[in-house]
Amino acid sequence: MQYFYNEQPFKNSSLEMENNENQFPIIKDFTIRIMENDFSGMQMLYYSEENGVITSFPWLTDVDQTLKTMNMMQIFLGSKERPYCAENNGTKVVIYADGEFVYVLQGDSSSDEGYGTYFRVKQDTYISEWETLLTYFKSKLFEREEAFEMFGVDDIY
């Protein structure tokens, strides 16, 4: 499995984007994928065919159960003033919308090196991927195998 990392970490801890937005590559083929591993059940990944895994959520286990109860107000998205921030298992993820883009940053929470992975995706694409995912997992026809075929990747390790 290929993992995406930027050449230089993003070190701006205040997330001030003025004059920095061009540092964030645009991911044009953004998708949300579900994968299953032997350790923690189904997990969610942000994925790009061109770049591989662009963000992971290692603490979010058995995601199929979580997604069944989520709604669009609970997706991983904040504003520039109040970004979605999650930190667990040594990983920190920050996600927020600003203008037409959603900015995603992921890094080692125990490091002062900044965020090793950062990108932006069109906000309408980001929202559409979440809508598709939640609609599917809320359907009464949900089966684990079927979800893996629709959203899955071969393996993560």
Side-chain angles (χ1 to χ4, degrees), residues 47-58:
Y47 190 80
S48 158
E49 287 294 330
E50 181 179 341
N51 299 293
V53 176
I54 49 180
T55 304
S56 63
F57 304 88

Side-chain angles (χ1 to χ4, degrees), residues 118-148:
Y118 51 93
F119 61 91
R120 58 188 165 152
V121 61
K122 291 274 193 174
Q123 191 171 165
D124 59 344
T125 301
Y126 187 86
I127 298 295
S128 176
E129 282 293 312
W130 270 101
E131 286 174 338
T132 300
L133 188 70
L134 293 181
T135 299
Y136 186 79
F137 275 86
K138 288 180 179 295
S139 76
K140 293 182 180 187
L141 303 173
F142 170 76
E143 295 290 334
R144 283 179 78 100
E145 295 78 20
E146 192 178 320
F148 184 73

Side-chain angles (χ1 to χ4, degrees), residues 11 17 29-30 41 43 50 52 73 76 83 86 96 102-103 106 118 120 124 128 131 134 140:
K11 295 185 177 186
M17 299 311 302
D29 61 344
F30 174 85
Q43 291 190 317
E50 181 179 341
M73 297 299 293
F76 300 170
Y96 65 93
V102 171
Y103 294 83
Q106 182 172 15
Y118 51 93
R120 58 188 165 152
D124 59 344
S128 176
E131 286 174 338
L134 293 181
K140 293 182 180 187

